[in-house]
Amino acid sequence: MKSAPLHWRVELRHVTKTFYRGRQALTVLGPLDLRVADREFVGLVGPSGCGKSTLLNVIAGIEQPTSGEVWLDGEPAPERLGRVAYMHQRDLLLPWRTVLDNAILPLELRGIPRREAAARALPWLERFGLAEFTHAYPAQLSGGMRQRVAFLRTLLADRPLLLLDEPFGALDALTRASLQEWLLTLWEELDRTVILVTHDVEEALLLSDRVLVLSPRPGRIVREIVVDLPRPRPYEIVTDPRFVRLKAEVLAELRARSTMEVQFDGT
Amino acid sequence: MKSAPLHWRVELRHVTKTFYRGRQALTVLGPLDLRVADREFVGLVGPSGCGKSTLLNVIAGIEQPTSGEVWLDGEPAPERLGRVAYMHQRDLLLPWRTVLDNAILPLELRGIPRREAAARALPWLERFGLAEFTHAYPAQLSGGMRQRVAFLRTLLADRPLLLLDEPFGALDALTRASLQEWLLTLWEELDRTVILVTHDVEEALLLSDRVLVLSPRPGRIVREIVVDLPRPRPYEIVTDPRFVRLKAEVLAELRARSTMEVQFDGT
Amino acid sequence: RQAPAPTATPASPTASGTSPGATTPVTTSLEAVSVALDWYPWSNHTGLLMARERGHFRDVGLDVTLEVPANPEDVLKLVATGRNTFGISYQTDVLLARAEGIPVVSIAALVQHPLNSVMALEGSGIARPRDLAGKKVGYPGLPSDEALLATMLEFDGARLDDVTLVNVGFELVRALLSRQVDAVIGAYWVHESILIEQQGERPVILRVEQWGVPDFYELVMVTSEQELRDHAERVQRFVRAMIRGYQDAQADLVAAVDLLVREYPDTNRALEEEGIRRLAPLWTEGVPIFGWQEAKRWTDYAAWMQARGLLRGEVDPNTAFTNRFVEAAR
Amino acid sequence: MARDRLLTRDRIVPLLILVSVMLGWELATRVFQIPRWVLPPPSAVVQALIRDQRLLLRHLTVTLEEVGLGLTFSVLLAIVLAIGIVSSRLVERSVYPLVVASQAVPIVALAPILLIWFGYGLTPKVIVVVLVCFFPIAVNLVDGLRGVDPEFVDLVRSFGGTSWQTLRVVRIPGALPAFFSGLRVAAAVSVIGALIGEWVGSSAGLGYLMIRAASQFHTDRVFAAVLVSAVVSIGLFWIVGVVERIALPWRRSARTET
Amino acid sequence: MARDRLLTRDRIVPLLILVSVMLGWELATRVFQIPRWVLPPPSAVVQALIRDQRLLLRHLTVTLEEVGLGLTFSVLLAIVLAIGIVSSRLVERSVYPLVVASQAVPIVALAPILLIWFGYGLTPKVIVVVLVCFFPIAVNLVDGLRGVDPEFVDLVRSFGGTSWQTLRVVRIPGALPAFFSGLRVAAAVSVIGALIGEWVGSSAGLGYLMIRAASQFHTDRVFAAVLVSAVVSIGLFWIVGVVERIALPWRRSARTET
Ligand SMILES: Nc1ncnc2c1ncn2[C@@H]1O[C@H](COP(=O)(O)OP(=O)(O)OP(=O)(O)O)[C@@H](O)[C@H]1O
Ligand SMILES: Nc1ncnc2c1ncn2[C@@H]1O[C@H](COP(=O)(O)OP(=O)(O)OP(=O)(O)O)[C@@H](O)[C@H]1O
Ligand SMILES: [Mg+2]
Ligand SMILES: [Mg+2]
């Protein structure tokens, strides 16, 4: 289904990121090289605090790498804000906007008239089970509803590259499954490239062409697992031996590098 | 291990909750009766927006039910603020407090001197992988780190009843497993009662004595599943046929009531 | 930017409200001029009101607006820049202003003697300046009042150091009535004294010219040198009409106060009735015609100011005033 | 039901307090024999209020016009300044100090300039009102525009929003609560701005009336005018609150999101 | 490196702007022949500043004392009032209107009362400064205390925190940014408060100096004093900014949390 990439959608060349707290330096992203092909679906897993969100920030252009370069579409892209659709880990709904107005924000920023934008968003709100809350303010939503609005907002941004940071973390299994389907449909039919950060290894394997495992801070890619399972992948695939093997592989890789031992002994 | 309860820790008697948006009424919690025994571990699952968080708010006393009564420890408890340790769905870390000061907030509120409180909190910060960030501000933490701080804060509140709203949603599998262990240890050794809201059916089944399935809004208890698996339950139990059956049962119950169909057909 | 032309007198927001100007229909032939008043309208302004009311200004082709700036000192600046054609100011200020290069000239004396005086309350044991020794004297914080008091004290064998000066801002009477101070200087014996009486107290008044201060003109009508150069004839017409106004007022004090109260309904009538009775004689006391100024008074007063350190630099008092308009109006 | 009773109590008790303050004041003036030319008893003030009602009303109209115009221009000026200051470090460093300095220029220095350049009309009064009012709005707006959650800004930037769009979509809505704080302050002090402005040469307005009444020892009238000014201040302050509630519907709805 | 250059540019350009403002003003006074007794050219003001430096310094000390005391009391008063207002609906309804009304009382009405009750010492000036300064602080503090995220309040309540603890732990820290906005405004206007206070009757202070200089047509000295006042205003404003940065370390560290 996927043809060989004409170029790399995203290319990170030896990127590192260091934060400074006062005089204390904290390197959160080790030297990291990453290439994502056009139309590829890449999953990113790694321990909490390893720099996944930072990595997405860097790709989106919100943060600049401390060293290294980010290339987009085969060219260096020192200024790359607005070139990707980025769903942040926090939902970041603007509290003074209704659900609808939050969702259509990216359209509004592109100068699309409100009527047209709303016409485009409303069917999606319906599908995402938010129709009743079109004119509600974020403070009146449940956690999962907020996340759905943020997800919709990202979809509406309509960029070839999607960066998703834990997009379904606050959703129940079913809503999650439903949104995952949407995401896959979009990806397949609209030729998107997706980088998905998730803590759910099953989710990563179900959706991705390739899963990258990051080490604890400073985050580096320690393992690349190509998910050579046929698509579409029904949920039942989780019991498929190949799937189980891949999952065990990812978990083992994560466990091997975990800094946090499971301490059963002692309170 | 658990003896028969002397009384009900928590008892909800025909509780409902209705919100008003302008003149529009929105009943989010159907009439709901619930009894949680002392030292019981109850899991709560349900579709997003069904009223789980609202239910915990009502139990904690942050919201009053629109009708019905909440009893604690065998007595009506119209004013029950401060009687439970509640971990909200959002982390709610105070941005002007460091990690340590956020964690010891409940101790501070009980008038425990800062030194003593810090002495109590520091080993936990260490165990939770936050030692390096003791004096960092929340804005400098990753999503999962924030959640860990919020969890620790709730543990330090040191109340017999724990209400946990998606406590591990932002954590990777390993960190999550580690914290789950801590939670179980605490629960068993310190005689806590736990009500856990989670979207992860496996998590619910792994940890709980009883899993309650809520219907979509307005949330009612539509199914009660007693998890009659022996403890301790290693993670491998997920492949145990009994476990698989329970999980299927819960999922089926959820699916049966889902308002959101999985739509594969049409973009 | 230079100030706008003086003819462009702004429409007062209240031209149709309290401003008296509105009552007279303005015909196109009239020339608009304005007078900056020294203070809110009081009996000393009745001459101008009369001149307007009885049509003297109209007869000479003038439409006169009266305006009250914030600070008495600002009058001279407003006149000098042409914002106001004429202004009511003090002899002291005219000399001070000229020393600073502000080109204003006095064209008529409005009051022939000082009104500023030392006031105490009866029963305070103060009957003459030397009695002030060891007492507190309130004043508005102005150097000229310090000089006046110093002269009076020295004239009566005491010194300024013997008294405690207290700057009471603009609350002279209240400071005195409340016994915060034993006496005040800077109050008019034809105005504040009456306020004191109205509160049921009896003031003791020490007039400055009786205690060593050279006699001077409390209030004078001023205009700018520019106006004198360019519109001498207009000034002449103004002075002529003004004099007739003051003559009318002097001839019928009751009508004058009536007019004041009519045009400014928030006037304290009892105060002004008594005030004009004491003030009116001073308009012409000892002079052949209203407005006359003696050169000697100007030179003596300037010399006194210089001696007291009030006036720095060279000021020729003879250029600070002119009698030619008053004389021609005779 | 309990709520209704509470509301009523909430209205009655403050009224009682107000009445007792008045009574206390009345009594104090009598017991301590405070002369009326210092502080007239409330009874005298109310009498003056009734007696001079037409006078007060006429002068009030003038003052209200100055206040209205002044507040309008203040808001406009403050918005322009604040946006300039937050948008450009250059503007901040060169203009902000001047803005602050403007708050230290007393009327003594300003009055002659205002009169010479703008005459005795409405303009100088409006300028004084603006000078008094624009500052709290501008400072609050600057702080508000700067204080928005930086992640919201990042969000808009990540969608390709320009800095102008960031301003419109995030900073300005986020700064509105602060803006209204500033506006509240401005509304309350606008009246005194007009009173000061009227002191700079005028023939009408409550400020004019006060000075004249004070110089003639009509202290009851002074306080009647003060009372009217105070009511106007409170009224404007309250109006800002109402406008704020209408302009920020999302704040009303904010409650425990979970 | 680029950052350094920018910083330098950021310092130099405003200076250039200031200089050119000065030059423009100087030129204007010459070209349009604005008389120096209306608006002295900056050269004359600077000359007066140098000539009268000792005089100015002496009076400045007095004014600074009034400002310092006034600001201190303003902060205390504002805190007490704001906490009272947000804690009790009763206090809000009975006291807040009076607080707002206080902003409409002009000095004309106040002067006699101050004079008779407090004499001519430091007290009445400090009172005037407080009257001018406490209000913006109080309003901002009230709005700030009310504006904190209600979920934070719920959090503390759910841990059994009393309303006093909620105030201490959540409301006050959350209101600090708003408090500093108010304090900034207060700092900038405190000087003019002192000048007005001195106008009520004093024997020293920049306000006293200005009135005296104005009465003698020493306009250059008036403006030298204005300049000093402006510098004090800017200085106080700046100090508040520094204190704020120290008091709110978490705001500096706030950047994209992800
Ligand atoms: N502004 C900042 N200042 C200092 N340190 C920061 C800052 N932002 C992030 N960090 C640190 O960078 C590290 C990586 O953070 P990041 O948010 O990328 O982690 P993550 O992989 O997304 O974790 P999680 O799965 O918990 O969301 C963390 O240790 C965090 O404390
Ligand atoms: N303050 C409010 N005003 C109006 N509606 C509200 C308010 N708070 C919550 N709701 C509504 O109540 C319903 C239940 O919300 P709640 O947060 O309890 O859901 P939840 O079960 O926790 O969902 P999630 O799993 O997504 O967190 C939602 O439909 C939400 O929109
Ligand atoms: Mg993250
Ligand atoms: Mg929830």
Side-chain angles (χ1 to χ4, degrees):
Chain A
M1 196 191 299
K2 300 267 153 188
S3 55
L6 294 172
H7 55 239
W8 302 113
R9 259 281 170 237
V10 186
E11 203 179 343
L12 299 192
R13 301 189 163 188
H14 229 63
V15 160
T16 70
K17 178 75 195 175
T18 302
F19 286 109
Y20 294 88
R21 276 196 289 145
R23 241 165 296 149
Q24 201 183 335
L26 187 79
T27 299
V28 303
L29 223 49
L32 192 142
D33 288 270
L34 169 65
R35 286 171 179 173
V36 179
D38 193 19
R39 304 195 191 175
E40 204 180 359
F41 198 124
V42 175
L44 222 57
V45 299
S48 172
C50 75
K52 301 179 295 296
S53 303
T54 308
L55 180 61
L56 295 198
N57 279 344
V58 167
I59 297 175
I62 289 173
E63 308 247 25
Q64 290 298 351
T66 308
S67 71
E69 280 188 336
V70 179
W71 287 40
L72 291 182
D73 299 327
E75 285 169 8
E79 298 300 331
R80 55 199 174 279
L81 280 167
R83 294 183 55 182
V84 303
Y86 179 16
M87 178 172 172
H88 299 247
Q89 189 169 9
R90 269 179 59 194
D91 53 58
L92 294 182
L93 299 184
L94 300 175
W96 47 83
R97 291 189 159 223
T98 60
V99 165
L100 177 63
D101 286 331
N102 264 296
I104 65 173
L105 178 68
L107 301 176
E108 183 183 324
L109 292 175
R110 274 193 347 245
I112 291 167
R114 195 171 180 286
R115 278 183 84 97
E116 200 188 318
R120 232 191 275 182
L122 284 173
W124 285 99
L125 284 173
E126 181 90 36
R127 277 174 212 158
F128 283 9
L130 294 165
E132 248 188 287
F133 292 86
T134 309
H135 301 293
Y137 287 99
Q140 300 167 323
L141 303 184
S142 80
M145 293 159 87
R146 295 173 66 107
Q147 201 167 39
R148 280 177 270 164
V149 178
F151 182 61
L152 172 54
R153 179 174 64 187
T154 314
L155 295 191
L156 289 176
D158 204 12
R159 296 286 145 89
L161 177 59
L162 278 175
L163 306 180
L164 303 175
D165 199 348
E166 292 270 350
F168 312 126
L171 297 175
D172 62 289
L174 283 160
T175 314
R176 177 188 284 239
S178 162
L179 292 187
Q180 286 172 350
E181 308 274 14
W182 281 115
L183 178 58
L184 283 180
T185 317
L186 262 173
W187 170 66
E188 288 180 350
E189 298 188 355
L190 301 180
D191 298 340
R192 306 288 173 90
T193 307
V194 178
I195 302 180
L196 170 83
V197 168
T198 180
H199 287 313
D200 186 332
V201 177
E202 275 186 10
E203 179 172 83
L205 292 170
L206 269 172
L207 299 176
S208 313
D209 296 324
R210 198 158 45 114
V211 173
L212 302 175
V213 182
L214 295 192
S215 69
R217 174 165 35 83
R220 299 170 211 217
I221 298 171
V222 290
R223 185 71 183 274
E224 180 184 321
I225 290 166
V226 177
V227 187
D228 46 4
L229 297 171
R231 291 183 189 267
R233 304 172 186 155
Y235 183 70
E236 292 69 47
I237 207 172
V238 299
T239 51
D240 183 302
R242 280 185 299 171
F243 190 96
V244 171
R245 190 171 33 79
L246 287 175
K247 184 173 167 191
E249 218 171 304
V250 174
L251 284 173
E253 190 63 57
L254 282 171
R255 196 163 295 128
R257 318 228 158 222
S258 172
T259 48
M260 202 164 170
E261 351 139 36
V262 176
Q263 312 198 6
F264 235 141
D265 39 47
T267 313
Chain B
M1 197 190 301
K2 299 268 156 186
S3 55
L6 293 172
H7 56 239
W8 302 110
R9 259 278 172 237
V10 186
E11 200 177 345
L12 299 192
R13 301 192 164 186
H14 228 63
V15 160
T16 71
K17 178 74 194 176
T18 303
F19 286 110
Y20 293 89
R21 277 195 288 144
R23 240 164 297 150
Q24 203 183 332
L26 188 79
T27 300
V28 303
L29 222 50
L32 195 142
D33 289 270
L34 169 66
R35 286 173 180 172
V36 179
D38 194 17
R39 305 196 190 175
E40 202 179 2
F41 198 125
V42 174
L44 223 55
V45 299
S48 170
C50 75
K52 303 180 293 295
S53 303
T54 307
L55 180 61
L56 294 199
N57 279 344
V58 167
I59 297 175
I62 288 173
E63 309 247 25
Q64 289 298 350
T66 307
S67 70
E69 279 189 337
V70 179
W71 287 40
L72 292 182
D73 298 327
E75 284 168 9
E79 298 300 332
R80 55 200 174 278
L81 282 166
R83 294 184 56 182
V84 303
Y86 179 16
M87 176 170 174
H88 298 246
Q89 189 169 12
R90 271 179 59 195
D91 53 57
L92 294 183
L93 300 184
L94 300 175
W96 47 83
R97 292 190 158 224
T98 60
V99 165
L100 177 63
D101 286 331
N102 264 295
I104 63 173
L105 178 68
L107 301 177
E108 185 183 323
L109 292 175
R110 275 197 342 249
I112 292 167
R114 197 171 178 286
R115 279 181 84 97
E116 198 187 319
R120 231 191 276 182
L122 284 172
W124 286 99
L125 284 172
E126 182 90 38
R127 277 174 211 159
F128 284 9
L130 294 165
E132 249 188 286
F133 292 86
T134 308
H135 301 293
Y137 288 100
Q140 300 168 324
L141 302 185
S142 81
M145 291 159 85
R146 295 173 65 106
Q147 201 166 40
R148 280 177 270 163
V149 178
F151 182 61
L152 172 53
R153 179 176 60 189
T154 313
L155 295 191
L156 289 176
D158 206 13
R159 295 286 143 89
L161 176 60
L162 277 176
L163 306 180
L164 303 174
D165 197 349
E166 291 271 348
F168 311 126
L171 297 175
D172 63 288
L174 285 159
T175 313
R176 175 190 286 240
S178 161
L179 292 188
Q180 286 172 351
E181 309 274 14
W182 281 115
L183 177 58
L184 284 180
T185 317
L186 262 172
W187 170 66
E188 288 180 351
E189 299 191 354
L190 300 179
D191 298 339
R192 304 290 172 92
T193 306
V194 178
I195 302 181
L196 170 82
V197 168
T198 179
H199 287 312
D200 189 332
V201 177
E202 275 185 11
E203 180 172 83
L205 291 171
L206 268 172
L207 300 176
S208 314
D209 294 326
R210 196 156 48 114
V211 174
L212 303 174
V213 182
L214 295 192
S215 69
R217 172 162 38 82
R220 301 169 207 215
I221 298 172
V222 291
R223 187 69 185 273
E224 180 183 321
I225 289 167
V226 177
V227 188
D228 45 4
L229 299 171
R231 295 181 185 265
R233 303 170 187 158
Y235 182 71
E236 293 69 44
I237 206 173
V238 299
T239 52
D240 183 300
R242 278 185 300 171
F243 190 96
V244 172
R245 192 174 31 80
L246 287 174
K247 183 172 168 192
E249 217 172 307
V250 174
L251 283 174
E253 193 60 59
L254 282 170
R255 197 164 295 130
R257 319 227 157 223
S258 172
T259 48
M260 202 165 170
E261 350 141 36
V262 176
Q263 312 200 4
F264 234 140
D265 40 46
T267 315
Chain C
R1 200 176 317 134
Q2 191 48 282
T7 42
T9 309
S12 162
T14 54
S16 50
T18 50
S19 174
T23 49
T24 348
V26 180
T27 60
T28 40
S29 59
L30 294 183
E31 249 180 289
V33 295
S34 62
V35 182
L37 303 180
D38 54 314
W39 182 236
Y40 290 88
W42 63 297
S43 46
N44 194 40
H45 301 143
T46 50
L48 296 172
L49 295 178
M50 276 299 219
R52 193 161 62 182
E53 167 78 9
R54 304 240 163 131
H56 303 321
F57 283 136
R58 195 168 358 124
D59 293 345
V60 296
L62 294 179
D63 172 33
V64 177
T65 317
L66 305 182
E67 291 169 327
V68 191
N71 271 318
E73 299 99 54
D74 293 343
V75 168
L76 294 175
K77 297 177 182 175
L78 291 161
V79 169
T81 52
R83 165 54 72 180
N84 289 113
T85 337
F86 305 100
I88 300 180
S89 187
Y90 313 85
Q91 187 177 349
T92 320
D93 279 10
V94 170
L95 288 167
L96 279 172
R98 286 189 67 85
E100 297 297 325
I102 304 177
V104 287
V105 177
S106 163
I107 53 172
L110 295 182
V111 182
Q112 289 293 331
H113 298 289
L115 298 178
N116 195 349
S117 52
V118 170
M119 256 170 241
L121 295 180
E122 232 172 46
S124 62
I126 295 167
R128 50 187 304 151
R130 78 156 76 110
D131 297 338
L132 293 172
K135 309 255 174 180
K136 278 200 257 185
V137 181
Y139 80 123
L142 302 183
S144 53
D145 292 314
E146 292 169 9
L148 289 174
L149 188 62
T151 305
M152 294 169 79
L153 288 166
E154 285 163 24
F155 187 82
D156 199 26
R159 282 155 29 84
L160 189 59
D161 290 345
D162 299 336
V163 306
T164 311
L165 273 175
V166 180
N167 175 8
V168 297
F170 297 96
E171 299 296 348
L172 291 170
V173 177
R174 287 184 179 89
L176 186 62
L177 285 175
S178 62
R179 269 75 175 178
Q180 296 277 329
V181 294
D182 303 297
V184 293
I185 183 165
Y188 285 178
W189 58 268
V190 298
H191 189 85
E192 276 83 351
S193 57
I194 305 165
L195 277 178
I196 293 171
E197 289 164 17
Q198 285 184 346
Q199 309 309 318
E201 300 271 2
R202 299 187 57 83
V204 178
I205 293 165
L206 309 178
R207 289 177 58 173
V208 295
E209 73 272 25
Q210 291 170 359
W211 296 97
V213 178
D215 204 359
F216 64 91
Y217 304 111
E218 184 70 47
L219 293 160
V220 293
M221 182 64 74
V222 299
T223 191
S224 67
E225 289 181 353
Q226 172 112 19
E227 179 75 10
L228 288 183
R229 262 196 312 277
D230 301 349
H231 302 287
E233 167 274 341
R234 182 165 75 187
V235 176
Q236 183 61 69
R237 281 186 283 144
F238 175 80
V239 171
R240 183 172 297 137
M242 173 182 77
I243 292 175
R244 292 179 53 198
Y246 273 95
Q247 284 166 344
D248 286 355
Q250 203 164 27
D252 190 348
L253 297 181
V254 176
V257 173
D258 281 347
L259 182 57
L260 179 66
V261 173
R262 191 158 71 244
E263 301 210 342
Y264 301 96
D266 49 345
T267 301
N268 181 338
R269 184 184 194 107
L271 169 67
E272 300 301 345
E273 267 173 356
E274 178 58 24
I276 202 168
R277 218 180 43 72
R278 298 187 197 176
L279 173 68
L282 298 177
W283 287 340
T284 49
E285 194 174 275
V287 287
I289 183 164
F290 176 88
W292 187 262
Q293 307 171 74
E294 290 289 345
K296 186 167 180 314
R297 293 252 195 114
W298 279 91
T299 39
D300 286 357
Y301 191 64
W304 173 82
M305 280 176 73
Q306 220 130 24
R308 284 285 157 190
L310 282 177
L311 208 51
R312 262 167 298 198
E314 279 307 302
V315 188
D316 179 2
N318 289 307
T319 59
F321 76 99
T322 172
N323 266 327
R324 67 189 229 245
F325 301 105
V326 171
E327 192 147 33
R330 199 196 283 249
Chain D
M1 332 106 298
R3 207 148 200 292
D4 273 356
R5 227 172 52 225
L6 207 77
L7 265 174
T8 321
R9 212 198 69 185
D10 269 9
R11 293 232 166 113
I12 284 178
V13 180
L15 217 73
L16 283 182
I17 291 180
L18 193 73
V19 168
S20 45
V21 166
M22 286 289 182
L23 276 180
W25 170 6
E26 182 85 36
L27 267 176
T29 53
R30 282 162 204 269
V31 173
F32 301 108
Q33 302 193 342
I34 300 174
R36 314 196 133 214
W37 43 266
V38 172
L39 182 66
S43 56
V45 175
V46 170
Q47 266 172 36
L49 200 66
I50 293 164
R51 186 191 64 216
D52 298 338
Q53 61 187 82
R54 316 200 63 209
L55 190 73
L56 287 164
L57 204 68
R58 204 177 63 223
H59 289 283
L60 171 63
T61 338
V62 177
T63 303
L64 277 184
E65 189 185 358
E66 297 157 5
V67 165
L69 282 171
L71 270 179
T72 310
F73 286 122
S74 297
V75 169
L76 296 177
L77 179 63
I79 290 175
V80 170
L81 282 173
I83 289 181
I85 286 167
V86 298
S87 306
S88 149
R89 214 165 159 67
L90 212 73
V91 174
E92 182 190 353
R93 283 182 174 260
S94 48
V95 174
Y96 213 1
L98 296 179
V99 167
V100 176
S102 76
Q103 297 304 299
V105 180
I107 206 71
V108 202
L110 210 60
I113 300 177
L114 287 180
L115 282 179
I116 289 168
W117 287 351
F118 304 105
Y120 295 88
L122 193 58
T123 320
K125 284 98 186 167
V126 174
I127 291 177
V128 175
V129 175
V130 170
L131 210 60
V132 169
C133 291
F134 89 96
F135 187 69
I137 311 178
V139 170
N140 271 278
L141 205 43
V142 166
D143 290 351
L145 291 171
R146 282 198 183 135
V148 294
D149 190 334
E151 289 198 70
F152 286 147
V153 176
D154 284 346
L155 175 83
V156 172
R157 287 169 68 223
S158 78
F159 282 133
T162 61
S163 57
W164 174 247
Q165 286 180 318
T166 310
L167 195 69
R168 194 174 57 73
V169 170
V170 172
R171 292 197 185 277
I172 289 177
L176 280 182
F179 167 78
F180 278 106
S181 288
L183 189 57
R184 229 188 289 282
V185 174
V189 298
S190 62
V191 178
I192 215 160
L195 300 185
I196 297 172
E198 283 164 8
W199 181 69
V200 182
S202 68
S203 46
L206 291 175
Y208 162 84
L209 190 69
M210 282 178 200
I211 296 229
R212 226 175 121 65
S215 73
Q216 298 181 318
F217 271 55
H218 288 154
T219 317
D220 53 350
R221 183 178 289 163
V222 174
F223 276 84
V226 169
L227 208 70
V228 172
S229 308
V231 169
V232 173
S233 259
I234 295 173
L236 289 171
F237 190 86
W238 178 80
I239 288 175
V240 173
V242 171
V243 172
E244 180 180 15
R245 240 163 296 142
I246 293 169
L248 305 179
W250 58 277
R251 285 213 136 197
R252 264 175 299 156
S253 75
R255 251 221 68 70
T256 55
E257 186 277 328
T258 47
Chain E
M1 331 113 289
R3 209 145 195 296
D4 273 356
R5 228 172 50 227
L6 207 78
L7 263 174
T8 322
R9 213 199 67 185
D10 268 11
R11 293 231 167 116
I12 285 179
V13 180
L15 218 73
L16 285 180
I17 290 180
L18 193 73
V19 168
S20 43
V21 165
M22 287 288 182
L23 276 181
W25 170 7
E26 182 84 37
L27 267 176
T29 52
R30 282 162 204 269
V31 172
F32 300 110
Q33 302 193 341
I34 299 175
R36 29 176 71 208
W37 35 266
V38 171
L39 182 66
S43 57
V45 175
V46 171
Q47 267 174 36
L49 200 65
I50 293 164
R51 185 192 64 216
D52 298 338
Q53 60 189 81
R54 317 198 65 207
L55 190 73
L56 286 164
L57 204 68
R58 203 179 63 225
H59 290 284
L60 172 62
T61 339
V62 176
T63 303
L64 277 184
E65 189 185 356
E66 296 156 7
V67 164
L69 282 172
L71 270 180
T72 311
F73 287 121
S74 298
V75 170
L76 297 178
L77 178 63
I79 291 175
V80 170
L81 281 173
I83 290 181
I85 286 167
V86 299
S87 305
S88 147
R89 214 166 160 66
L90 212 74
V91 174
E92 182 191 352
R93 284 182 174 259
S94 48
V95 174
Y96 212 2
L98 296 180
V99 167
V100 175
S102 77
Q103 296 304 298
V105 181
I107 204 73
V108 203
L110 209 60
I113 302 177
L114 290 179
L115 163 86
I116 288 174
W117 288 348
F118 303 105
Y120 301 95
L122 193 58
T123 320
K125 286 98 188 170
V126 174
I127 290 177
V128 175
V129 175
V130 170
L131 210 60
V132 168
C133 292
F134 88 95
F135 187 69
I137 311 178
V139 170
N140 272 278
L141 205 44
V142 166
D143 290 352
L145 291 172
R146 282 196 184 140
V148 294
D149 190 336
E151 290 196 69
F152 286 146
V153 176
D154 284 345
L155 176 83
V156 173
R157 287 169 66 224
S158 78
F159 282 132
T162 61
S163 57
W164 174 248
Q165 285 180 320
T166 310
L167 195 70
R168 195 174 56 74
V169 170
V170 172
R171 293 197 186 276
I172 290 175
L176 280 182
F179 168 77
F180 278 106
S181 287
L183 188 58
R184 228 188 290 282
V185 173
V189 299
S190 62
V191 179
I192 214 160
L195 299 184
I196 296 173
E198 286 166 9
W199 181 70
V200 176
S202 63
S203 49
L206 290 176
Y208 167 82
L209 188 69
M210 280 178 201
I211 296 240
R212 263 174 92 88
S215 78
Q216 296 178 292
F217 303 96
H218 290 156
T219 316
D220 55 349
R221 183 178 288 166
V222 174
F223 276 84
V226 170
L227 206 71
V228 173
S229 309
V231 169
V232 172
S233 260
I234 295 173
L236 289 171
F237 189 85
W238 178 81
I239 289 174
V240 173
V242 172
V243 173
E244 180 181 13
R245 239 162 297 140
I246 294 168
L248 305 179
W250 58 278
R251 285 214 136 197
R252 265 176 298 156
S253 75
R255 249 220 70 68
T256 56
E257 185 277 329
T258 49

